[in-house]
Amino acid sequence: MQIATETERKYDVPDDFALPPLPGAGDAEAHDLDATYYDTDDLRLARNRRTLRRRTGGTDAGWHLKTPGDGSSRTEHRLPIDGDEVPGEMHDEVRVIVRDRPLQPVARLRTRRLETPLRDADGRTLALIAQDRVTAETGGREQTWQEVEAELVEGDPELLEEVERHLLAAGARPAAGPSKLARALGDRLPPRAGAAALDRDAVHRYVREQRDALAAYDPGVRAGDAESVHKMRVATRRLRSTLRTFKRSFPPGAAATLGPELKWLAAQLGEVRDGQVLEGKLLAAVDQAGPDFTPVADRIRDHLEAKVAAGREALRHDLNGERYLRLLDAVDDLVERTAAERKPVRRAGKALAKADGLLAEAMRADSDEELHAARKAYKKARYAVEVFAPGGGKPARRLVKRLTELQDVLGAHQDSVVAREVLRDLARDADDGFPYGVLYARQEQIGRDTLRRLPAVVAASGKPKLRGWLGGPAARGVDVRG
């Protein structure tokens, strides 16, 4: 699949509009375009700012999927035409939005296009100006209109500014809608609510952001992208943690019913992500041990890559399964039903105070298991603090940063614990267990060295000026010097 970023601006123009003289304009070429747009009955793609079409004619005939980008840019996925059915690879890009709802034609747009290139002195095409006369058929009715698109090719964004000045002076106006399809669908497509209307309170905003993150990273997870797996897992954990911390913001029983499903999804993602992370850390340690350990490296790589491959295959199956699709529906419902809660910040303070207590107990007991429990508690507390960071000023943002550093130290220690478990398992079946014992001892040392950093990061995260806004026991921090 080809993926490209397009930067363009659209303009509404009257029927008698004539393209004004533009800098570097070449001869116009005429194209007849015929595009069929696909969506669900309830227009889930259009409502999520996606357009999926099969287009013939012009210079880029094929299947096109456009997704939101930054500013005036959009990302376009392209595949050649091979029949009338939506290609499976493109369907995967929107599965998280359409779920198990069928994709079917919702509009046909035929366009007579006059395309004028803007070139520099060397003949490079800097932009394309398309003057389109559109005939749209949808819902049993036909519409016609004229519009102009200015799309960058090799030019700078400043060129679009200059072109816009000429077009506006000639009678064009910035387009009232985002796309031809939106104009064709008309009132079938409800207006998008603004951010202010969507954000009932900080908890609602945070939950909505995590729901949107699930949708954003789903295509990358299906394609096997490691970073997408990581970020989707984080969004899943944030949702589950928020459900547990701010129970009063959600319908009764939401945490009990949705929490286990989010835990399941995080675990499926973890089957891929944990192996990827551990492979990188262990192979780096083996590399430092020298060439004599190369056979060990090969066994570690084979073992963990097999684990990751099995996890990826299971995850691909899960993402197309009924359980995952219904989970997405439940998360959508959760976003709609999230309500404002009185003083939810207190719950963040309680979560942080609990983590402080668990860490103090773990340090007194010198227990890896209890340190891992403290790490999970700090992760939950950090997510709770993140809820208020956008409106909490510098103290809240800095506290998130310090808690992240604390969690990273505890995470590095836990990684050494898991690495030792893998080395012990591999040593059982090895002809020579000695190199595994050496690596095991080094992981023990990594764990000890990591814990020596703990008092400093705990002190940094426990400063009253960072925690004071939370109130209660959380403002005091935790003392791990003993």
Side-chain angles (χ1 to χ4, degrees), residues 10-206:
K10 297 177 180 290
Y11 302 90
D12 294 331
V13 296
D15 285 340
D16 59 353
F17 180 80
L19 198 66
L22 296 172
D27 295 333
E29 292 186 8
H31 302 283
D32 289 310
L33 313 177
D34 192 341
T36 299
Y37 287 78
Y38 288 73
D39 208 332
T40 60
D41 274 341
D42 56 353
L43 304 176
R44 297 177 70 88
L45 291 182
R47 288 192 284 114
N48 285 276
R49 300 170 59 205
R50 270 83 171 164
T51 58
L52 173 61
R53 72 188 178 201
R54 180 188 184 276
R55 189 168 78 180
T56 59
T59 59
D60 64 344
W63 286 95
H64 304 155
L65 170 66
K66 295 188 178 185
T67 60
D70 297 326
S72 59
S73 298
R74 300 191 77 187
T75 299
E76 184 172 88
H77 302 71
R78 301 169 183 164
L79 284 174
I81 293 176
D82 183 15
D84 295 332
E85 295 294 324
V86 178
E89 189 176 355
M90 198 158 275
H91 206 154
D92 281 348
E93 291 290 325
V94 297
R95 176 77 68 180
V96 70
I97 296 174
V98 303
R99 295 163 201 178
D100 51 5
R101 296 162 179 82
L103 288 168
Q104 57 194 19
V106 295
R108 181 184 182 190
L109 273 65
R110 288 169 290 160
T111 302
R112 177 67 173 177
R113 168 167 289 181
L114 288 178
E115 190 171 73
T116 302
L118 303 185
R119 299 191 175 99
D120 64 9
D122 296 325
R124 290 188 311 143
T125 300
L126 304 180
L128 293 172
I129 311 301
Q131 189 169 2
D132 293 342
R133 184 167 294 278
V134 184
T135 300
E137 301 172 13
T138 180
R141 62 171 183 162
E142 184 174 287
Q143 308 171 62
T144 60
W145 69 85
Q146 187 175 197
E147 64 179 51
V148 171
E149 295 180 1
E151 180 179 355
L152 277 185
V153 180
E154 295 186 63
D156 296 323
E158 290 77 11
L159 177 60
L160 290 185
E161 297 289 341
E162 183 179 359
V163 169
E164 181 166 288
R165 287 194 294 271
H166 288 284
L167 293 177
L168 296 182
R173 293 291 177 266
S179 67
K180 290 181 175 67
L181 178 61
R183 182 165 183 168
L185 293 173
D187 56 9
R188 287 185 61 194
L189 189 62
R192 290 177 57 84
L198 288 170
D199 291 335
R200 290 185 277 273
D201 69 350
V203 175
H204 178 266
R205 173 194 55 77
Y206 192 75

Side-chain angles (χ1 to χ4, degrees), residues 147-418:
E147 64 179 51
V148 171
E149 295 180 1
E151 180 179 355
L152 277 185
V153 180
E154 295 186 63
D156 296 323
E158 290 77 11
L159 177 60
L160 290 185
E161 297 289 341
E162 183 179 359
V163 169
E164 181 166 288
R165 287 194 294 271
H166 288 284
L167 293 177
L168 296 182
R173 293 291 177 266
S179 67
K180 290 181 175 67
L181 178 61
R183 182 165 183 168
L185 293 173
D187 56 9
R188 287 185 61 194
L189 189 62
R192 290 177 57 84
L198 288 170
D199 291 335
R200 290 185 277 273
D201 69 350
V203 175
H204 178 266
R205 173 194 55 77
Y206 192 75
V207 169
R208 181 169 57 84
E209 288 175 352
Q210 307 321 311
R211 186 274 307 273
D212 294 346
L214 288 180
Y217 294 115
D218 175 284
V221 172
R222 293 175 186 273
D225 177 63
E227 189 64 14
S228 294
V229 171
H230 168 59
K231 291 185 175 180
M232 188 175 182
R233 187 188 189 191
V234 169
T236 304
R237 286 174 160 177
R238 281 172 168 154
L239 270 173
R240 180 169 176 252
S241 180
T242 304
L243 265 173
R244 296 163 65 193
T245 302
F246 302 98
K247 290 182 180 180
R248 293 183 182 178
S249 293
F250 307 108
T257 56
L258 187 53
E261 295 303 290
L262 291 168
K263 183 179 181 180
W264 163 78
L265 177 58
Q268 304 311 102
L269 292 162
E271 287 296 311
V272 178
R273 178 62 180 172
D274 288 344
Q276 292 170 334
V277 172
L278 192 57
E279 180 180 354
K281 289 180 180 287
L282 272 176
L283 291 181
V286 174
D287 185 59
Q288 290 178 352
D292 291 341
F293 287 77
T294 299
V296 176
D298 292 340
R299 282 200 73 207
I300 290 172
R301 184 181 294 107
D302 291 345
H303 172 76
L304 292 177
E305 287 186 355
K307 174 182 171 65
V308 169
R312 186 178 287 125
E313 183 62 30
L315 182 58
R316 189 178 295 114
H317 178 269
D318 290 332
L319 294 185
N320 288 317
E322 182 75 10
R323 186 174 184 179
Y324 173 65
L325 298 179
R326 297 293 74 80
L327 169 59
L328 294 176
D329 289 342
V331 172
D332 283 346
D333 183 63
L334 183 75
V335 171
E336 293 301 319
R337 299 175 67 188
T338 303
E341 177 183 352
R342 288 191 64 228
K343 299 182 178 180
V345 69
R346 292 179 179 176
R347 297 189 177 274
K350 289 180 179 179
L352 185 50
K354 181 178 179 179
D356 290 337
L358 288 175
L359 180 57
E361 292 174 8
M363 295 302 293
R364 285 193 294 268
D366 191 22
S367 164
D368 290 341
E369 184 176 348
E370 292 187 26
L371 280 171
H372 183 44
R375 176 201 175 210
K376 291 191 291 185
Y378 273 114
K379 186 177 293 186
K380 180 180 178 182
R382 175 169 69 86
Y383 294 156
V385 173
E386 280 180 352
V387 169
F388 307 101
K394 286 184 179 180
R397 292 192 294 273
R398 288 178 178 172
L399 180 56
V400 169
K401 182 178 180 180
R402 299 302 176 221
L403 290 175
T404 301
E405 293 168 354
L406 170 55
Q407 181 188 316
D408 286 346
V409 170
L410 292 171
H413 176 268
Q414 177 62 16
D415 287 344
S416 74
V417 173
V418 176

